Amino acid sequence: MAATHPLSGAASPLLLHCNAAPSVSFRHRRRWQRPTATRHDGRGAQQLPLLVARSLPAAVPPGANGACGAIAASGPGAAAWKAPYRGSEGQGSLWMVFLATAVVVCGSFEFGTCVGYSAPAQAGIVSDIGLSNSEYGVFGSVLTIGAMLGAVTSGRLADILGRKMTIRFAAVVGIFGWLTVYFAKDAMVLYAGRVLLGYCTGVLSYVVPVFISEIAPKGIRGGLATSNQLFICSGCSAAYIIGALVSWRSLVLVGLVPCAVLLVGLFFIPESPRWLVGVGLMIFQQLGGINALGFYTSYIFSSAGFSGKLGITLIGIIQIPITFFGALLMDRSGRRALLLVSSSGTFLGCFLTGLSFYFKAQGLCTQLVPTLALCGILVYYAAYSVGMGPVPWVIMSEIFSIDMKAIAGGFVTLASWIGSFAISYSFNFLMDWNPAGTFFLFSAASLVTVLFVAKLVPETKGRTLEEIQRLLKAT
């Protein structure tokens, strides 16, 4: 009788758990059931389905009704009966994750080209179109107006259209924006094209990091999400370097290429499986002055007595390796450590730059002024690229629960672009008021950022999205 019993020594722990017979001793049941509790994750999660499949009687398929089926479906090995979840914690192919990331970061590259375009194009546009400095200031800063509109609508679009379609829509808007700038003959058409590029940038600045964080496994999520900032810097650097060699109209092609790659590449990747709020980090990111330096770098160098073209070329060269280095550190040192080091570095960079303008105004160490300004701006960009650039976007994509991610993320992105507009528009007025005081204000904002991060920002390194939510609810 024992030899033909379905619960013989080869039976699975799940079947023993549900159909234990009097002939099976309590000691034997404990021996079979003990490993069950330890095989529901890690390596056992991959071995348990095979073990169960080998021991199930042919007449009792895994999905059969009845007490045993019900218990098996809800027991420790329940996850083994389901298809693998293809979200951030799933077992999907890593090559598809890398392919999807490689495609969507073209949106980040587009972001960078939009931001970096105005610096090398300034002299050519002012000469060809006949803009005054104030009119060009509008051209530079109106990008953020469009970005605000993009930020407001990005979350809702991502939920209604899906992540892929939203990115595709932003790429189409970007193409129209670049073509409008290319064919512009007067200031108003230039403004219109710049607003379209801003809208494209505002949408991409939210959807791209969210998409990456949703598809990436937790062990590499930080590094992959940091590729967003790496390609923003790459796009900005490409605009700086190529812009020093070609005309402002030809430079438009640098922005059109990533849009075209997005439109084609999105057909080959799957849709995203996941649908402090981070406002503080986004505001401090902008108060540190990044877009003021990004939009008017050439002007800042020239004002300090240094070559504008050489300055932006050097920045274009250092941004990519520094951001790549930050990506490597993201999942090793943690988000908070990078933010603390980065904001300390932006404080130092702005302080040195402010000091150079102070020396210039006072007639002190005049030969040192250009070198001090160069060192300050390079330190600022290096520090920003390693932490304050990528990390706020990574944390923003991690801390929101799924049910509020779209709306909250959209408003956080809006807050970022509002801060960007305020800084980029007011920068020329601040420089007319007091160049040294302008950079000392930026350095003070960076100092406050250090305190904000130290007191309020949680560490999310190595945690799943669900673990982050539990952590935030417990605090």
Side-chain angles (χ1 to χ4, degrees):
M1 196 60 184
T4 59
H5 199 283
L7 296 176
S8 61
S12 72
L14 288 178
L15 291 178
L16 280 171
H17 182 69
C18 28
N19 290 324
S23 61
V24 180
S25 68
F26 177 74
R27 181 179 61 188
H28 288 147
R29 296 213 316 266
R30 286 185 59 191
R31 185 180 66 189
W32 280 107
Q33 290 173 6
R34 189 177 296 120
T36 304
T38 62
R39 292 190 180 181
H40 67 280
D41 59 5
R43 186 177 297 176
Q46 299 173 6
Q47 296 173 346
L48 185 59
L50 180 60
L51 173 64
V52 173
R54 286 177 177 174
S55 13
L56 278 174
V60 187
N65 294 329
C68 178
I71 295 174
S74 59
W81 300 106
K82 301 177 182 178
Y85 177 60
R86 299 181 63 186
S88 61
E89 305 307 316
Q91 301 296 321
S93 299
L94 275 181
W95 73 267
M96 181 56 73
V97 172
F98 291 136
L99 173 63
T101 302
V103 170
V104 298
V105 292
C106 290
S108 307
F109 190 92
E110 174 67 11
F111 182 158
T113 58
C114 291
V115 171
Y117 178 81
S118 60
Q122 182 170 0
I125 291 179
V126 168
S127 175
D128 293 352
I129 307 298
L131 300 185
S132 65
N133 284 335
S134 60
E135 288 175 323
Y136 194 81
V138 173
F139 174 76
S141 60
V142 79
L143 177 83
T144 60
I145 298 293
M148 291 181 205
L149 299 176
V152 170
T153 58
S154 60
R156 185 59 61 188
L157 286 173
D159 277 350
I160 295 175
L161 302 179
R163 301 338 188 207
K164 281 178 56 179
M165 186 58 69
T166 301
I167 296 174
R168 188 176 288 118
F169 171 71
V172 172
V173 174
I175 289 174
F176 278 105
W178 285 118
L179 291 177
T180 302
V181 170
Y182 182 85
F183 291 108
K185 300 295 184 182
D186 56 54
M188 294 308 296
V189 178
L190 276 175
Y191 297 162
R194 189 74 166 162
V195 169
L196 289 175
L197 292 177
Y199 183 85
C200 165
T201 302
V203 172
L204 293 174
S205 65
Y206 169 70
V207 180
V208 170
V210 168
F211 182 95
I212 294 173
S213 71
E214 290 175 348
I215 65 171
K218 68 176 182 179
I220 59 173
R221 188 177 65 235
L224 288 181
T226 308
S227 65
N228 174 56
Q229 182 65 24
L230 175 63
F231 276 81
I232 290 174
C233 291
S234 300
C236 192
S237 297
Y240 284 170
I241 295 171
I242 299 175
L245 305 174
V246 302
S247 70
W248 64 274
R249 293 190 192 273
S250 300
L251 187 58
V252 166
L253 296 176
V254 178
L256 286 172
V257 170
C259 291
V261 174
L262 277 175
L263 290 178
V264 176
L266 287 171
F267 287 107
F268 301 97
I269 64 174
E271 180 58 272
S272 167
R274 282 184 182 265
W275 295 117
L276 200 356
V277 175
V279 173
L281 277 177
M282 293 302 185
I283 292 295
F284 283 119
Q285 183 191 55
Q286 297 304 323
L287 290 180
I290 180 58
N291 278 323
L293 274 75
F295 290 169
Y296 308 112
T297 310
S298 180
Y299 166 69
I300 295 170
F301 277 125
S302 299
S303 299
F306 193 84
S307 168
K309 284 189 175 182
L310 178 58
I312 62 175
T313 300
L314 290 175
I315 291 173
I317 291 172
I318 70 165
Q319 277 193 114
I320 296 176
I322 290 294
T323 306
F324 182 74
F325 179 66
L328 297 178
L329 292 178
M330 181 70 70
D331 287 314
R332 291 175 173 81
S333 61
R335 282 55 156 166
R336 278 169 52 89
L338 284 180
L339 285 173
L340 290 171
V341 171
S342 176
S343 53
S344 300
T346 56
F347 161 76
L348 177 62
C350 285
F351 186 81
L352 291 176
T353 306
L355 202 61
S356 71
F357 280 106
Y358 177 78
F359 286 164
K360 180 181 179 181
Q362 300 299 319
L364 303 172
C365 305
T366 53
Q367 293 181 342
L368 184 62
V369 168
T371 303
L372 195 59
L374 174 66
C375 291
I377 294 176
L378 291 181
V379 167
Y380 179 91
Y381 269 100
Y384 180 87
S385 297
V386 81
M388 283 304 294
V391 177
W393 297 104
V394 173
I395 292 181
M396 182 270 290
S397 68
E398 292 176 332
I399 63 175
F400 295 127
S401 60
I402 296 175
D403 58 341
M404 65 177 294
K405 181 174 287 189
I407 296 176
F411 277 112
V412 168
T413 308
L414 172 63
S416 173
W417 285 111
I418 289 176
S420 177
F421 172 75
I423 296 299
S424 61
Y425 183 74
S426 63
F427 178 73
N428 285 326
F429 299 104
L430 289 172
M431 289 291 284
D432 289 340
W433 162 68
N434 191 325
T438 299
F439 285 94
F440 287 147
L441 286 175
F442 290 157
S443 66
S446 295
L447 191 60
V448 175
T449 304
V450 174
L451 301 177
F452 176 82
V453 172
K455 291 291 185 181
L456 297 176
V457 176
E459 179 57 75
T460 59
K461 181 192 77 169
R463 292 188 169 100
T464 66
L465 300 180
E466 292 76 13
E467 289 170 344
I468 293 170
Q469 293 309 310
R470 288 195 293 270
L471 172 67
L472 293 175
K473 288 178 182 178
T475 56

